[in-house]
Amino acid sequence: EPEVTQTPSHQVTQMGQEVILRCVPISNHLYFYWYRQILGQKVEFLVSFYNNEISEKSEIFDDQFSVERPDGSNFTLKIRSTKLEDSAMYFCASEDGGELFFGEGSRLTVL
Amino acid sequence: GENVEQHPSTLSVQEGDSAVIKCTYSDSASNYFPWYKQELGKRPQLIIDIRSNVGEKKDQRIAVTLNKTAKHFSLHITETQPEDSAVYFCAAASNNNDMRFGAGTRLTVKP
């Protein structure tokens, strides 16, 4: 069964450092998403991406965040200058107009 | 934007009993209402979904009901089993573009 893959599974970084989280969505999907889940809390929408541009973003997705689809397969989330409160599990998801498929997540720890 | 409220935050039932989780949403444009099950440390997985042109949907032991007028939808699990223990999230979206999640319900099924 096709699946969304994410790397790294866990990243530890110092406050102020840049982080790039990578995702490979399911190959024939058209819509891509990033979500964040702070430990023990709900899944929060960050951004949706369609046709090579952001289609929707939440209030969490400020100027420190950016997304890119640099080639035909990868979908990346960049955090420019990490803060302590960015520590969370980041889930990538993709869908083709039906079910949303989540990756296994990248756990980001900011020290 | 959409705001999804979910109740209860925790629910404990005896094996074999039914469990009901309720959600309300605010945006009348929302037309897609999935439910996700998240086991500890894992990604959210879709268990059932309903679209706004349907009032009820059932899949074996799980069912979802939707009341568009009142803007609420519910998940019903019958004959609960210990393996149903997890955190359940409801979500609401208009055309999947900006899916917003409820805060989650931790369901514990006691053997």
Side-chain angles (χ1 to χ4, degrees), chain A residues 3 33 35 37 42-43 45 48 55-56 91 95 97-100 102-104, chain B residues 4 32 36 38 41-44 46 51 89 96-103:
Chain A
E3 59 178 26
Y33 306 84
Y35 291 86
Q37 188 177 32
K42 68 178 174 180
V43 180
F45 169 78
S48 58
S55 54
E56 182 82 25
F91 289 103
E95 58 103 8
E99 181 181 340
L100 196 64
F102 284 88
E104 296 213 351
Chain B
V4 179
Y32 177 64
Y36 289 86
Q38 188 178 29
K42 302 282 184 67
R43 71 184 104 181
L46 180 72
R51 295 193 182 271
F89 291 97
N96 269 17
N97 209 20
D98 55 352
M99 190 174 294
R100 306 297 171 120
F101 288 77

PDB file of all heavy atoms in Angstrom, chain A residues 3 33 35 37 42-43 45 48 55-56 91 95 97-100 102-104, chain B residues 4 32 36 38 41-44 46 51 89 96-103:
ATOM      1  N   GLU A   3       2.407   4.858   0.786  1.00  0.00           N
ATOM      2  CA  GLU A   3       2.343   5.622   2.019  1.00  0.00           C
ATOM      3  C   GLU A   3       3.175   6.891   1.913  1.00  0.00           C
ATOM      4  O   GLU A   3       4.044   7.023   1.051  1.00  0.00           O
ATOM      5  CB  GLU A   3       2.791   4.771   3.203  1.00  0.00           C
ATOM      6  CG  GLU A   3       4.180   4.216   3.108  1.00  0.00           C
ATOM      7  CD  GLU A   3       4.569   3.429   4.355  1.00  0.00           C
ATOM      8  OE1 GLU A   3       3.685   2.902   5.056  1.00  0.00           O
ATOM      9  OE2 GLU A   3       5.776   3.340   4.628  1.00  0.00           O
ATOM     10  N   TYR A  33      -0.073  18.617   2.848  1.00  0.00           N
ATOM     11  CA  TYR A  33      -0.344  19.350   4.084  1.00  0.00           C
ATOM     12  C   TYR A  33       0.777  19.130   5.092  1.00  0.00           C
ATOM     13  O   TYR A  33       1.430  18.095   5.085  1.00  0.00           O
ATOM     14  CB  TYR A  33      -1.644  18.843   4.732  1.00  0.00           C
ATOM     15  CG  TYR A  33      -2.835  18.855   3.820  1.00  0.00           C
ATOM     16  CD1 TYR A  33      -3.067  17.804   2.938  1.00  0.00           C
ATOM     17  CD2 TYR A  33      -3.740  19.915   3.845  1.00  0.00           C
ATOM     18  CE1 TYR A  33      -4.161  17.817   2.089  1.00  0.00           C
ATOM     19  CE2 TYR A  33      -4.842  19.927   3.002  1.00  0.00           C
ATOM     20  CZ  TYR A  33      -5.041  18.875   2.119  1.00  0.00           C
ATOM     21  OH  TYR A  33      -6.125  18.887   1.288  1.00  0.00           O
ATOM     22  N   TYR A  35       0.931  19.351   9.367  1.00  0.00           N
ATOM     23  CA  TYR A  35       0.231  19.514  10.621  1.00  0.00           C
ATOM     24  C   TYR A  35       1.257  19.424  11.738  1.00  0.00           C
ATOM     25  O   TYR A  35       2.321  18.827  11.591  1.00  0.00           O
ATOM     26  CB  TYR A  35      -0.814  18.405  10.825  1.00  0.00           C
ATOM     27  CG  TYR A  35      -1.991  18.480   9.890  1.00  0.00           C
ATOM     28  CD1 TYR A  35      -1.942  17.894   8.631  1.00  0.00           C
ATOM     29  CD2 TYR A  35      -3.161  19.129  10.274  1.00  0.00           C
ATOM     30  CE1 TYR A  35      -3.030  17.959   7.765  1.00  0.00           C
ATOM     31  CE2 TYR A  35      -4.253  19.190   9.410  1.00  0.00           C
ATOM     32  CZ  TYR A  35      -4.174  18.603   8.161  1.00  0.00           C
ATOM     33  OH  TYR A  35      -5.247  18.674   7.316  1.00  0.00           O
ATOM     34  N   GLN A  37       1.648  18.597  16.036  1.00  0.00           N
ATOM     35  CA  GLN A  37       1.022  18.104  17.254  1.00  0.00           C
ATOM     36  C   GLN A  37       1.998  18.232  18.404  1.00  0.00           C
ATOM     37  O   GLN A  37       2.991  17.498  18.497  1.00  0.00           O
ATOM     38  CB  GLN A  37       0.562  16.655  17.093  1.00  0.00           C
ATOM     39  CG  GLN A  37      -0.271  16.162  18.266  1.00  0.00           C
ATOM     40  CD  GLN A  37      -0.781  14.746  18.069  1.00  0.00           C
ATOM     41  OE1 GLN A  37      -0.127  13.920  17.441  1.00  0.00           O
ATOM     42  NE2 GLN A  37      -1.963  14.453  18.607  1.00  0.00           N
ATOM     43  N   LYS A  42      -3.819  18.458  20.540  1.00  0.00           N
ATOM     44  CA  LYS A  42      -4.507  18.087  19.301  1.00  0.00           C
ATOM     45  C   LYS A  42      -3.627  18.346  18.091  1.00  0.00           C
ATOM     46  O   LYS A  42      -2.620  19.054  18.139  1.00  0.00           O
ATOM     47  CB  LYS A  42      -5.817  18.855  19.170  1.00  0.00           C
ATOM     48  CG  LYS A  42      -5.674  20.344  18.956  1.00  0.00           C
ATOM     49  CD  LYS A  42      -7.036  20.983  18.784  1.00  0.00           C
ATOM     50  CE  LYS A  42      -6.944  22.484  18.712  1.00  0.00           C
ATOM     51  NZ  LYS A  42      -8.279  23.104  18.554  1.00  0.00           N
ATOM     52  N   VAL A  43      -4.038  17.738  16.988  1.00  0.00           N
ATOM     53  CA  VAL A  43      -3.370  17.936  15.714  1.00  0.00           C
ATOM     54  C   VAL A  43      -3.785  19.305  15.164  1.00  0.00           C
ATOM     55  O   VAL A  43      -4.974  19.593  15.031  1.00  0.00           O
ATOM     56  CB  VAL A  43      -3.769  16.824  14.724  1.00  0.00           C
ATOM     57  CG1 VAL A  43      -3.090  17.017  13.382  1.00  0.00           C
ATOM     58  CG2 VAL A  43      -3.423  15.451  15.294  1.00  0.00           C
ATOM     59  N   PHE A  45      -3.546  22.244  12.142  1.00  0.00           N
ATOM     60  CA  PHE A  45      -3.269  22.518  10.741  1.00  0.00           C
ATOM     61  C   PHE A  45      -2.248  23.651  10.616  1.00  0.00           C
ATOM     62  O   PHE A  45      -2.353  24.682  11.281  1.00  0.00           O
ATOM     63  CB  PHE A  45      -4.580  22.909  10.048  1.00  0.00           C
ATOM     64  CG  PHE A  45      -4.420  23.475   8.668  1.00  0.00           C
ATOM     65  CD1 PHE A  45      -4.174  22.639   7.597  1.00  0.00           C
ATOM     66  CD2 PHE A  45      -4.540  24.834   8.445  1.00  0.00           C
ATOM     67  CE1 PHE A  45      -4.040  23.156   6.313  1.00  0.00           C
ATOM     68  CE2 PHE A  45      -4.419  25.364   7.175  1.00  0.00           C
ATOM     69  CZ  PHE A  45      -4.163  24.531   6.104  1.00  0.00           C
ATOM     70  N   SER A  48      -1.625  24.093   3.681  1.00  0.00           N
ATOM     71  CA  SER A  48      -1.964  23.186   2.578  1.00  0.00           C
ATOM     72  C   SER A  48      -1.336  23.715   1.301  1.00  0.00           C
ATOM     73  O   SER A  48      -1.117  24.923   1.147  1.00  0.00           O
ATOM     74  CB  SER A  48      -3.470  23.029   2.431  1.00  0.00           C
ATOM     75  OG  SER A  48      -4.086  24.283   2.205  1.00  0.00           O
ATOM     76  N   SER A  55      -2.199  26.971  -0.635  1.00  0.00           N
ATOM     77  CA  SER A  55      -3.609  27.284  -0.850  1.00  0.00           C
ATOM     78  C   SER A  55      -4.279  27.775   0.423  1.00  0.00           C
ATOM     79  O   SER A  55      -5.262  28.508   0.352  1.00  0.00           O
ATOM     80  CB  SER A  55      -4.357  26.079  -1.422  1.00  0.00           C
ATOM     81  OG  SER A  55      -4.172  24.954  -0.612  1.00  0.00           O
ATOM     82  N   GLU A  56      -3.741  27.399   1.562  1.00  0.00           N
ATOM     83  CA  GLU A  56      -4.316  27.848   2.832  1.00  0.00           C
ATOM     84  C   GLU A  56      -3.233  27.730   3.896  1.00  0.00           C
ATOM     85  O   GLU A  56      -2.435  26.796   3.854  1.00  0.00           O
ATOM     86  CB  GLU A  56      -5.502  26.945   3.197  1.00  0.00           C
ATOM     87  CG  GLU A  56      -6.232  27.311   4.455  1.00  0.00           C
ATOM     88  CD  GLU A  56      -7.246  28.409   4.255  1.00  0.00           C
ATOM     89  OE1 GLU A  56      -7.724  28.572   3.121  1.00  0.00           O
ATOM     90  OE2 GLU A  56      -7.559  29.106   5.235  1.00  0.00           O
ATOM     91  N   PHE A  91       3.514  16.335  11.246  1.00  0.00           N
ATOM     92  CA  PHE A  91       2.986  15.329  10.322  1.00  0.00           C
ATOM     93  C   PHE A  91       2.783  15.940   8.941  1.00  0.00           C
ATOM     94  O   PHE A  91       2.182  17.010   8.804  1.00  0.00           O
ATOM     95  CB  PHE A  91       1.626  14.811  10.809  1.00  0.00           C
ATOM     96  CG  PHE A  91       1.695  13.945  12.033  1.00  0.00           C
ATOM     97  CD1 PHE A  91       1.335  14.447  13.277  1.00  0.00           C
ATOM     98  CD2 PHE A  91       2.090  12.612  11.947  1.00  0.00           C
ATOM     99  CE1 PHE A  91       1.383  13.643  14.410  1.00  0.00           C
ATOM    100  CE2 PHE A  91       2.135  11.809  13.076  1.00  0.00           C
ATOM    101  CZ  PHE A  91       1.793  12.329  14.309  1.00  0.00           C
ATOM    102  N   GLU A  95      -3.364  13.892  -0.091  1.00  0.00           N
ATOM    103  CA  GLU A  95      -4.621  13.292  -0.514  1.00  0.00           C
ATOM    104  C   GLU A  95      -4.925  13.681  -1.963  1.00  0.00           C
ATOM    105  O   GLU A  95      -4.357  14.622  -2.509  1.00  0.00           O
ATOM    106  CB  GLU A  95      -5.767  13.690   0.432  1.00  0.00           C
ATOM    107  CG  GLU A  95      -6.010  15.152   0.579  1.00  0.00           C
ATOM    108  CD  GLU A  95      -7.189  15.629  -0.195  1.00  0.00           C
ATOM    109  OE1 GLU A  95      -7.937  14.832  -0.751  1.00  0.00           O
ATOM    110  OE2 GLU A  95      -7.356  16.869  -0.281  1.00  0.00           O
ATOM    111  N   GLY A  97      -8.135  14.162  -3.097  1.00  0.00           N
ATOM    112  CA  GLY A  97      -9.541  14.565  -3.144  1.00  0.00           C
ATOM    113  C   GLY A  97     -10.406  13.652  -2.308  1.00  0.00           C
ATOM    114  O   GLY A  97     -11.602  13.872  -2.175  1.00  0.00           O
ATOM    115  N   GLY A  98      -9.787  12.636  -1.729  1.00  0.00           N
ATOM    116  CA  GLY A  98     -10.511  11.715  -0.858  1.00  0.00           C
ATOM    117  C   GLY A  98      -9.871  11.644   0.505  1.00  0.00           C
ATOM    118  O   GLY A  98      -9.732  12.634   1.187  1.00  0.00           O
ATOM    119  N   GLU A  99      -9.432  10.462   0.889  1.00  0.00           N
ATOM    120  CA  GLU A  99      -8.868  10.260   2.219  1.00  0.00           C
ATOM    121  C   GLU A  99      -7.517  10.943   2.377  1.00  0.00           C
ATOM    122  O   GLU A  99      -6.700  10.980   1.457  1.00  0.00           O
ATOM    123  CB  GLU A  99      -8.712   8.758   2.450  1.00  0.00           C
ATOM    124  CG  GLU A  99      -8.161   8.378   3.808  1.00  0.00           C
ATOM    125  CD  GLU A  99      -8.011   6.876   3.949  1.00  0.00           C
ATOM    126  OE1 GLU A  99      -8.657   6.128   3.190  1.00  0.00           O
ATOM    127  OE2 GLU A  99      -7.225   6.450   4.824  1.00  0.00           O
ATOM    128  N   LEU A 100      -7.316  11.470   3.596  1.00  0.00           N
ATOM    129  CA  LEU A 100      -6.050  12.116   3.943  1.00  0.00           C
ATOM    130  C   LEU A 100      -5.127  11.051   4.526  1.00  0.00           C
ATOM    131  O   LEU A 100      -5.493  10.357   5.473  1.00  0.00           O
ATOM    132  CB  LEU A 100      -6.326  13.195   4.980  1.00  0.00           C
ATOM    133  CG  LEU A 100      -5.276  14.253   5.257  1.00  0.00           C
ATOM    134  CD1 LEU A 100      -5.020  15.107   4.048  1.00  0.00           C
ATOM    135  CD2 LEU A 100      -5.716  15.123   6.418  1.00  0.00           C
ATOM    136  N   PHE A 102      -1.585  10.272   6.399  1.00  0.00           N
ATOM    137  CA  PHE A 102      -0.542  10.901   7.185  1.00  0.00           C
ATOM    138  C   PHE A 102       0.754  10.103   7.106  1.00  0.00           C
ATOM    139  O   PHE A 102       0.748   8.876   7.056  1.00  0.00           O
ATOM    140  CB  PHE A 102      -0.949  10.969   8.670  1.00  0.00           C
ATOM    141  CG  PHE A 102      -1.954  12.042   8.976  1.00  0.00           C
ATOM    142  CD1 PHE A 102      -3.317  11.799   8.879  1.00  0.00           C
ATOM    143  CD2 PHE A 102      -1.537  13.302   9.375  1.00  0.00           C
ATOM    144  CE1 PHE A 102      -4.242  12.786   9.170  1.00  0.00           C
ATOM    145  CE2 PHE A 102      -2.460  14.300   9.668  1.00  0.00           C
ATOM    146  CZ  PHE A 102      -3.813  14.036   9.561  1.00  0.00           C
ATOM    147  N   GLY A 103       1.884  10.834   7.148  1.00  0.00           N
ATOM    148  CA  GLY A 103       3.162  10.188   7.371  1.00  0.00           C
ATOM    149  C   GLY A 103       3.307   9.836   8.843  1.00  0.00           C
ATOM    150  O   GLY A 103       2.442  10.179   9.667  1.00  0.00           O
ATOM    151  N   GLU A 104       4.415   9.184   9.186  1.00  0.00           N
ATOM    152  CA  GLU A 104       4.617   8.748  10.564  1.00  0.00           C
ATOM    153  C   GLU A 104       5.081   9.874  11.475  1.00  0.00           C
ATOM    154  O   GLU A 104       5.127   9.703  12.685  1.00  0.00           O
ATOM    155  CB  GLU A 104       5.607   7.586  10.604  1.00  0.00           C
ATOM    156  CG  GLU A 104       5.072   6.373   9.898  1.00  0.00           C
ATOM    157  CD  GLU A 104       5.523   5.071  10.510  1.00  0.00           C
ATOM    158  OE1 GLU A 104       6.396   5.079  11.391  1.00  0.00           O
ATOM    159  OE2 GLU A 104       5.000   4.023  10.088  1.00  0.00           O
TER     160      GLU A 104
ATOM    161  N   VAL B   4     -13.473  23.680  15.854  1.00  0.00           N
ATOM    162  CA  VAL B   4     -14.072  22.384  16.168  1.00  0.00           C
ATOM    163  C   VAL B   4     -13.930  22.119  17.658  1.00  0.00           C
ATOM    164  O   VAL B   4     -12.823  22.178  18.202  1.00  0.00           O
ATOM    165  CB  VAL B   4     -13.398  21.261  15.359  1.00  0.00           C
ATOM    166  CG1 VAL B   4     -14.013  19.906  15.703  1.00  0.00           C
ATOM    167  CG2 VAL B   4     -13.518  21.532  13.863  1.00  0.00           C
ATOM    168  N   TYR B  32     -16.999  18.137   5.042  1.00  0.00           N
ATOM    169  CA  TYR B  32     -16.320  16.849   5.147  1.00  0.00           C
ATOM    170  C   TYR B  32     -15.886  16.659   6.592  1.00  0.00           C
ATOM    171  O   TYR B  32     -15.227  17.544   7.172  1.00  0.00           O
ATOM    172  CB  TYR B  32     -15.109  16.809   4.206  1.00  0.00           C
ATOM    173  CG  TYR B  32     -14.301  15.541   4.307  1.00  0.00           C
ATOM    174  CD1 TYR B  32     -14.852  14.313   3.959  1.00  0.00           C
ATOM    175  CD2 TYR B  32     -12.987  15.566   4.750  1.00  0.00           C
ATOM    176  CE1 TYR B  32     -14.120  13.148   4.058  1.00  0.00           C
ATOM    177  CE2 TYR B  32     -12.243  14.410   4.849  1.00  0.00           C
ATOM    178  CZ  TYR B  32     -12.814  13.203   4.503  1.00  0.00           C
ATOM    179  OH  TYR B  32     -12.092  12.050   4.596  1.00  0.00           O
ATOM    180  N   TYR B  36     -10.421  10.341  13.196  1.00  0.00           N
ATOM    181  CA  TYR B  36      -9.116   9.694  13.200  1.00  0.00           C
ATOM    182  C   TYR B  36      -8.885   9.026  14.549  1.00  0.00           C
ATOM    183  O   TYR B  36      -9.275   9.540  15.601  1.00  0.00           O
ATOM    184  CB  TYR B  36      -8.003  10.718  12.961  1.00  0.00           C
ATOM    185  CG  TYR B  36      -7.992  11.247  11.546  1.00  0.00           C
ATOM    186  CD1 TYR B  36      -8.782  12.329  11.184  1.00  0.00           C
ATOM    187  CD2 TYR B  36      -7.207  10.652  10.565  1.00  0.00           C
ATOM    188  CE1 TYR B  36      -8.790  12.809   9.888  1.00  0.00           C
ATOM    189  CE2 TYR B  36      -7.207  11.120   9.264  1.00  0.00           C
ATOM    190  CZ  TYR B  36      -7.998  12.196   8.945  1.00  0.00           C
ATOM    191  OH  TYR B  36      -8.002  12.662   7.647  1.00  0.00           O
ATOM    192  N   GLN B  38      -5.777   7.704  16.914  1.00  0.00           N
ATOM    193  CA  GLN B  38      -4.335   7.839  17.067  1.00  0.00           C
ATOM    194  C   GLN B  38      -3.879   7.033  18.275  1.00  0.00           C
ATOM    195  O   GLN B  38      -4.224   7.354  19.416  1.00  0.00           O
ATOM    196  CB  GLN B  38      -3.925   9.300  17.207  1.00  0.00           C
ATOM    197  CG  GLN B  38      -2.409   9.495  17.173  1.00  0.00           C
ATOM    198  CD  GLN B  38      -2.005  10.945  17.253  1.00  0.00           C
ATOM    199  OE1 GLN B  38      -2.697  11.767  17.832  1.00  0.00           O
ATOM    200  NE2 GLN B  38      -0.867  11.280  16.661  1.00  0.00           N
ATOM    201  N   GLY B  41       2.033   7.486  20.119  1.00  0.00           N
ATOM    202  CA  GLY B  41       3.256   7.590  19.331  1.00  0.00           C
ATOM    203  C   GLY B  41       3.101   7.322  17.857  1.00  0.00           C
ATOM    204  O   GLY B  41       4.074   7.310  17.114  1.00  0.00           O
ATOM    205  N   LYS B  42       1.854   7.100  17.419  1.00  0.00           N
ATOM    206  CA  LYS B  42       1.639   6.766  16.006  1.00  0.00           C
ATOM    207  C   LYS B  42       0.952   7.917  15.262  1.00  0.00           C
ATOM    208  O   LYS B  42       0.518   8.892  15.859  1.00  0.00           O
ATOM    209  CB  LYS B  42       0.762   5.511  15.894  1.00  0.00           C
ATOM    210  CG  LYS B  42       1.329   4.281  16.584  1.00  0.00           C
ATOM    211  CD  LYS B  42       2.405   3.642  15.764  1.00  0.00           C
ATOM    212  CE  LYS B  42       2.931   2.350  16.361  1.00  0.00           C
ATOM    213  NZ  LYS B  42       1.922   1.281  16.356  1.00  0.00           N
ATOM    214  N   ARG B  43       0.833   7.773  13.985  1.00  0.00           N
ATOM    215  CA  ARG B  43       0.152   8.792  13.183  1.00  0.00           C
ATOM    216  C   ARG B  43      -1.362   8.642  13.301  1.00  0.00           C
ATOM    217  O   ARG B  43      -1.855   7.544  13.558  1.00  0.00           O
ATOM    218  CB  ARG B  43       0.562   8.657  11.726  1.00  0.00           C
ATOM    219  CG  ARG B  43      -0.020   7.415  11.047  1.00  0.00           C
ATOM    220  CD  ARG B  43       0.476   7.249   9.636  1.00  0.00           C
ATOM    221  NE  ARG B  43       1.478   6.197   9.546  1.00  0.00           N
ATOM    222  CZ  ARG B  43       2.087   5.857   8.427  1.00  0.00           C
ATOM    223  NH1 ARG B  43       1.833   6.493   7.297  1.00  0.00           N
ATOM    224  NH2 ARG B  43       2.977   4.903   8.410  1.00  0.00           N
ATOM    225  N   PRO B  44      -2.100   9.738  13.075  1.00  0.00           N
ATOM    226  CA  PRO B  44      -3.559   9.605  13.031  1.00  0.00           C
ATOM    227  C   PRO B  44      -3.966   8.744  11.836  1.00  0.00           C
ATOM    228  O   PRO B  44      -3.416   8.886  10.744  1.00  0.00           O
ATOM    229  CB  PRO B  44      -4.041  11.048  12.847  1.00  0.00           C
ATOM    230  CG  PRO B  44      -2.881  11.909  13.214  1.00  0.00           C
ATOM    231  CD  PRO B  44      -1.660  11.122  12.886  1.00  0.00           C
ATOM    232  N   LEU B  46      -7.343   7.398   9.609  1.00  0.00           N
ATOM    233  CA  LEU B  46      -8.764   7.589   9.339  1.00  0.00           C
ATOM    234  C   LEU B  46      -9.534   6.311   9.650  1.00  0.00           C
ATOM    235  O   LEU B  46      -9.151   5.227   9.227  1.00  0.00           O
ATOM    236  CB  LEU B  46      -8.955   7.952   7.865  1.00  0.00           C
ATOM    237  CG  LEU B  46     -10.389   8.193   7.416  1.00  0.00           C
ATOM    238  CD1 LEU B  46     -10.896   9.504   7.977  1.00  0.00           C
ATOM    239  CD2 LEU B  46     -10.478   8.200   5.890  1.00  0.00           C
ATOM    240  N   ARG B  51     -19.722  12.899   4.643  1.00  0.00           N
ATOM    241  CA  ARG B  51     -19.840  14.157   3.906  1.00  0.00           C
ATOM    242  C   ARG B  51     -21.208  14.760   4.187  1.00  0.00           C
ATOM    243  O   ARG B  51     -22.133  14.080   4.619  1.00  0.00           O
ATOM    244  CB  ARG B  51     -19.614  13.930   2.415  1.00  0.00           C
ATOM    245  CG  ARG B  51     -18.196  13.478   2.134  1.00  0.00           C
ATOM    246  CD  ARG B  51     -17.797  13.529   0.679  1.00  0.00           C
ATOM    247  NE  ARG B  51     -16.440  13.024   0.526  1.00  0.00           N
ATOM    248  CZ  ARG B  51     -15.347  13.790   0.617  1.00  0.00           C
ATOM    249  NH1 ARG B  51     -15.456  15.072   0.847  1.00  0.00           N
ATOM    250  NH2 ARG B  51     -14.155  13.257   0.475  1.00  0.00           N
ATOM    251  N   PHE B  89      -9.801  11.736  17.237  1.00  0.00           N
ATOM    252  CA  PHE B  89      -9.945  13.132  16.838  1.00  0.00           C
ATOM    253  C   PHE B  89     -11.034  13.250  15.786  1.00  0.00           C
ATOM    254  O   PHE B  89     -11.039  12.497  14.809  1.00  0.00           O
ATOM    255  CB  PHE B  89      -8.659  13.667  16.219  1.00  0.00           C
ATOM    256  CG  PHE B  89      -7.524  13.831  17.185  1.00  0.00           C
ATOM    257  CD1 PHE B  89      -6.551  12.853  17.306  1.00  0.00           C
ATOM    258  CD2 PHE B  89      -7.414  14.966  17.972  1.00  0.00           C
ATOM    259  CE1 PHE B  89      -5.499  12.993  18.187  1.00  0.00           C
ATOM    260  CE2 PHE B  89      -6.365  15.115  18.860  1.00  0.00           C
ATOM    261  CZ  PHE B  89      -5.405  14.131  18.963  1.00  0.00           C
ATOM    262  N   ASN B  96     -11.530  19.774   2.028  1.00  0.00           N
ATOM    263  CA  ASN B  96     -10.238  19.276   2.530  1.00  0.00           C
ATOM    264  C   ASN B  96      -9.134  20.304   2.486  1.00  0.00           C
ATOM    265  O   ASN B  96      -7.979  19.977   2.641  1.00  0.00           O
ATOM    266  CB  ASN B  96      -9.788  18.054   1.712  1.00  0.00           C
ATOM    267  CG  ASN B  96     -10.282  16.779   2.320  1.00  0.00           C
ATOM    268  OD1 ASN B  96     -11.192  16.794   3.133  1.00  0.00           O
ATOM    269  ND2 ASN B  96      -9.697  15.686   1.940  1.00  0.00           N
ATOM    270  N   ASN B  97      -9.479  21.555   2.297  1.00  0.00           N
ATOM    271  CA  ASN B  97      -8.413  22.523   2.109  1.00  0.00           C
ATOM    272  C   ASN B  97      -7.823  23.024   3.413  1.00  0.00           C
ATOM    273  O   ASN B  97      -6.728  23.534   3.434  1.00  0.00           O
ATOM    274  CB  ASN B  97      -8.971  23.695   1.299  1.00  0.00           C
ATOM    275  CG  ASN B  97      -7.906  24.365   0.482  1.00  0.00           C
ATOM    276  OD1 ASN B  97      -6.852  23.788   0.217  1.00  0.00           O
ATOM    277  ND2 ASN B  97      -8.161  25.585   0.098  1.00  0.00           N
ATOM    278  N   ASP B  98      -8.557  22.941   4.469  1.00  0.00           N
ATOM    279  CA  ASP B  98      -8.112  23.551   5.715  1.00  0.00           C
ATOM    280  C   ASP B  98      -8.672  22.764   6.879  1.00  0.00           C
ATOM    281  O   ASP B  98      -9.355  23.307   7.731  1.00  0.00           O
ATOM    282  CB  ASP B  98      -8.558  25.006   5.790  1.00  0.00           C
ATOM    283  CG  ASP B  98     -10.067  25.167   5.615  1.00  0.00           C
ATOM    284  OD1 ASP B  98     -10.733  24.165   5.282  1.00  0.00           O
ATOM    285  OD2 ASP B  98     -10.582  26.268   5.823  1.00  0.00           O
ATOM    286  N   MET B  99      -8.342  21.475   6.919  1.00  0.00           N
ATOM    287  CA  MET B  99      -8.932  20.599   7.924  1.00  0.00           C
ATOM    288  C   MET B  99      -8.526  21.026   9.324  1.00  0.00           C
ATOM    289  O   MET B  99      -7.335  21.186   9.601  1.00  0.00           O
ATOM    290  CB  MET B  99      -8.508  19.155   7.668  1.00  0.00           C
ATOM    291  CG  MET B  99      -9.256  18.162   8.508  1.00  0.00           C
ATOM    292  SD  MET B  99      -8.872  16.471   8.057  1.00  0.00           S
ATOM    293  CE  MET B  99      -9.541  16.399   6.414  1.00  0.00           C
ATOM    294  N   ARG B 100      -9.502  21.188  10.182  1.00  0.00           N
ATOM    295  CA  ARG B 100      -9.268  21.570  11.574  1.00  0.00           C
ATOM    296  C   ARG B 100      -9.722  20.411  12.462  1.00  0.00           C
ATOM    297  O   ARG B 100     -10.775  19.838  12.239  1.00  0.00           O
ATOM    298  CB  ARG B 100     -10.031  22.844  11.937  1.00  0.00           C
ATOM    299  CG  ARG B 100      -9.744  24.003  11.011  1.00  0.00           C
ATOM    300  CD  ARG B 100      -8.300  24.439  11.064  1.00  0.00           C
ATOM    301  NE  ARG B 100      -8.005  25.421  10.011  1.00  0.00           N
ATOM    302  CZ  ARG B 100      -7.579  26.647  10.260  1.00  0.00           C
ATOM    303  NH1 ARG B 100      -7.384  27.056  11.491  1.00  0.00           N
ATOM    304  NH2 ARG B 100      -7.335  27.478   9.261  1.00  0.00           N
ATOM    305  N   PHE B 101      -8.906  20.145  13.468  1.00  0.00           N
ATOM    306  CA  PHE B 101      -9.156  19.003  14.334  1.00  0.00           C
ATOM    307  C   PHE B 101      -9.751  19.440  15.667  1.00  0.00           C
ATOM    308  O   PHE B 101      -9.463  20.533  16.163  1.00  0.00           O
ATOM    309  CB  PHE B 101      -7.844  18.262  14.605  1.00  0.00           C
ATOM    310  CG  PHE B 101      -7.328  17.492  13.421  1.00  0.00           C
ATOM    311  CD1 PHE B 101      -6.699  18.134  12.365  1.00  0.00           C
ATOM    312  CD2 PHE B 101      -7.477  16.109  13.349  1.00  0.00           C
ATOM    313  CE1 PHE B 101      -6.226  17.425  11.267  1.00  0.00           C
ATOM    314  CE2 PHE B 101      -7.006  15.399  12.263  1.00  0.00           C
ATOM    315  CZ  PHE B 101      -6.377  16.056  11.221  1.00  0.00           C
ATOM    316  N   GLY B 102     -10.530  18.561  16.253  1.00  0.00           N
ATOM    317  CA  GLY B 102     -10.944  18.733  17.635  1.00  0.00           C
ATOM    318  C   GLY B 102      -9.776  18.440  18.557  1.00  0.00           C
ATOM    319  O   GLY B 102      -8.715  18.002  18.120  1.00  0.00           O
ATOM    320  N   ALA B 103      -9.985  18.657  19.835  1.00  0.00           N
ATOM    321  CA  ALA B 103      -8.908  18.525  20.817  1.00  0.00           C
ATOM    322  C   ALA B 103      -8.599  17.073  21.156  1.00  0.00           C
ATOM    323  O   ALA B 103      -7.586  16.792  21.791  1.00  0.00           O
ATOM    324  CB  ALA B 103      -9.247  19.310  22.076  1.00  0.00           C
TER     325      ALA B 103
END
